[in-house]
Amino acid sequence: MINMGGPKFLSEVENYLSRIFTDKDIMKLPFQKYFGAFLAKIRAPKVKKHYQIIGGKSPIYKWSNIQGEGMIYNFLQNKDKLLNCKDLNFSDIKHYIGFRYADPLTENAIIDMAKDGIDRVIVFSQYPQYCCSTTGSSLNAIYKFCNANKNLVENIKWSVIDRWHSHPGLIKAFSENIKSELNKFSIDKRKEVVILFSAHSLPLSVVKRGDLYPYEVSATVNLVMNELKWCNPYRLVWQSKVGPVEWLSPFTDDVIRSLVKRGHKNILLVPIAFTSDHIETLHEMDIEYIKDISEELKSYQNINIKRAPSLNDNLTFIKALADILQEHIMRREPFSNQMRLTCPHCINPVCLNMRNFFESQYS
Ligand code: FES
């Protein structure tokens, strides 16, 4: 289960940031190894304070384990439904967590799997929507590690669940959480609530390269609204911009301010691109967007901004993970058809090598 991860202790924050800022699949900086580490040092005190406020650590490891255990349990409950898979033995199936920027790091998860004698690995991206800066970065890292440690991984056969943004189970789980939160608005206001689907933004240079992330996030939003029978007005907005370059907008905080000033004071935020709580929900949404902006605009009166819960241990979601795993195994393919193409303007040779590596597992 690959994901970005988050620090489990405040002392890990600087290292965590440094790994992000030195990841060339996320951003390109001059003298990146040094400049990225320098940026991490500068930003760490502020970010540490944010983690301190949400309990001193990221909950992503806890939720990933709960989701992994639930996924395996539900998968095994239904394994008799696996067609054409009589040759496969699932008695030892288990989940490993591989984070890109925090412990347990993906590279260490691979070492653990090799030591445990694992011979079949399904890399399950925990980002529902594919982005070259998230799933792509993790897959490139896995490819690079395997290429440099061929002996270690020689007995492992790999495949990838690279995206599942339109899976019915995911859509249902989001819809359930939205409905339950909408019901907390008073009946006379419920129809007026503006649903703001908020996803992590990315630099426009990445969008222009042809990255599919904005389109896959839009697809998720569309399907969720269809499931909700288009019950309310809604918008897709973008959060967490950093640095001076231009990023995909409109930004979540700007849109909240604009809506309130135009009289739309009942707003429901929905984190649509992450599957568990993390700093962007617990601090950025709950504190910076909901608490601080409500306070800043209090002269507008009767502002009511809520957030739909993250998927975390939602049972519909955990069953969806098991279904996605089952469907992937039955397809017997290295990855989805969408992975066969790189971004039209990709200039990173690793992206193609990574695809060839996973494809070669099935040749
Ligand atoms: Fe998207 Fe290389 S940057 S495939």
Side-chain angles (χ1 to χ4, degrees), residues 4-8 12 16 19 98-106:
M4 68 182 302
K8 289 210 256 347
E12 286 178 0
Y16 169 71
R19 288 187 185 113
F99 287 150
R100 184 76 179 97
Y101 309 113
D103 288 329
L105 289 170
T106 313

Side-chain angles (χ1 to χ4, degrees), residues 130 132 140 209 211 341-343 346-348 351-352 355:
Y130 190 94
C132 293
N140 284 352
R209 209 160 57 196
D211 197 290
L341 300 180
T342 54
C343 292
C346 171
I347 50 162
N348 180 0
C351 300
L352 186 59
R355 283 162 171 79

Side-chain angles (χ1 to χ4, degrees), residues 35-279:
F35 192 45
F38 173 72
L39 280 182
K41 204 174 194 55
I42 304 278
R43 278 187 66 89
K46 184 175 171 197
V47 177
K48 265 187 198 170
K49 268 188 207 148
H50 292 175
Y51 276 107
Q52 214 154 17
I53 291 169
I54 66 165
K57 61 182 176 188
S58 165
I60 192 166
Y61 180 71
K62 176 187 91 174
W63 289 123
S64 299
N65 263 325
I66 289 171
Q67 292 165 349
E69 277 161 22
M71 171 181 72
I72 298 297
Y73 174 81
N74 282 283
F75 173 85
L76 290 173
Q77 295 290 306
N78 289 310
K79 75 175 188 325
D80 295 342
K81 291 188 197 149
L82 281 164
L83 308 171
N84 311 325
C85 296
K86 298 285 176 251
D87 55 319
L88 300 176
N89 171 13
F90 297 107
S91 57
D92 292 335
I93 190 168
K94 60 188 282 201
H95 78 281
Y96 289 77
I97 293 171
F99 287 150
R100 184 76 179 97
Y101 309 113
D103 288 329
L105 289 170
T106 313
E107 290 82 356
N108 292 337
I110 297 174
I111 293 170
D112 287 347
M113 290 188 292
K115 275 191 201 149
D116 292 349
I118 301 291
D119 56 9
R120 175 76 172 90
V121 176
I122 297 169
V123 182
F124 193 165
S125 173
Q126 294 304 297
Y127 306 98
Q129 302 93 1
Y130 190 94
C131 180
C132 293
S133 307
T134 55
T135 302
S137 169
S138 281
L139 296 179
N140 284 352
I142 291 172
Y143 156 69
K144 282 194 255 181
F145 184 83
C146 290
N147 199 35
N149 297 276
K150 289 194 175 105
N151 287 346
L152 183 72
V153 298
E154 63 185 351
N155 294 324
I156 299 180
K157 179 174 173 169
W158 300 80
S159 65
V160 183
I161 301 173
D162 47 272
R163 70 201 75 205
W164 36 288
H165 55 280
S166 55
H167 192 273
L170 174 75
I171 303 305
K172 199 159 173 252
F174 273 130
S175 307
E176 280 176 11
N177 282 7
I178 292 170
K179 268 189 216 159
S180 76
E181 202 63 27
L182 270 178
N183 285 338
K184 294 181 185 164
F185 287 86
S186 62
I187 282 199
D188 59 319
K189 298 287 179 209
R190 206 169 292 159
K191 275 270 156 202
E192 289 172 22
V193 174
V194 178
I195 303 176
L196 282 188
F197 293 93
S198 186
H200 203 294
S201 184
L202 75 176
L204 277 188
S205 56
V206 177
V207 181
K208 286 180 185 165
R209 209 160 57 196
D211 197 290
L212 286 176
Y213 172 75
Y215 307 99
E216 295 192 357
V217 176
S218 306
T220 309
V221 169
N222 220 48
L223 288 166
V224 169
M225 285 312 298
N226 191 46
E227 177 80 17
L228 292 169
K229 304 200 172 20
W230 313 96
C231 60
N232 285 65
Y234 69 98
R235 288 290 185 273
L236 171 56
V237 293
W238 306 92
Q239 67 178 88
S240 316
K241 173 192 187 290
V242 283
V245 297
E246 221 182 328
W247 284 51
L248 187 60
S249 61
F251 300 122
T252 309
D253 48 350
D254 293 343
V255 173
I256 294 172
R257 287 189 185 92
S258 163
L259 283 170
V260 169
K261 288 176 185 174
R262 288 158 196 255
H264 302 285
K265 297 180 194 170
N266 294 285
I267 298 171
L268 175 61
L269 294 178
V270 180
I272 195 70
F274 271 107
T275 53
S276 61
D277 272 319
H278 54 301
I279 194 126

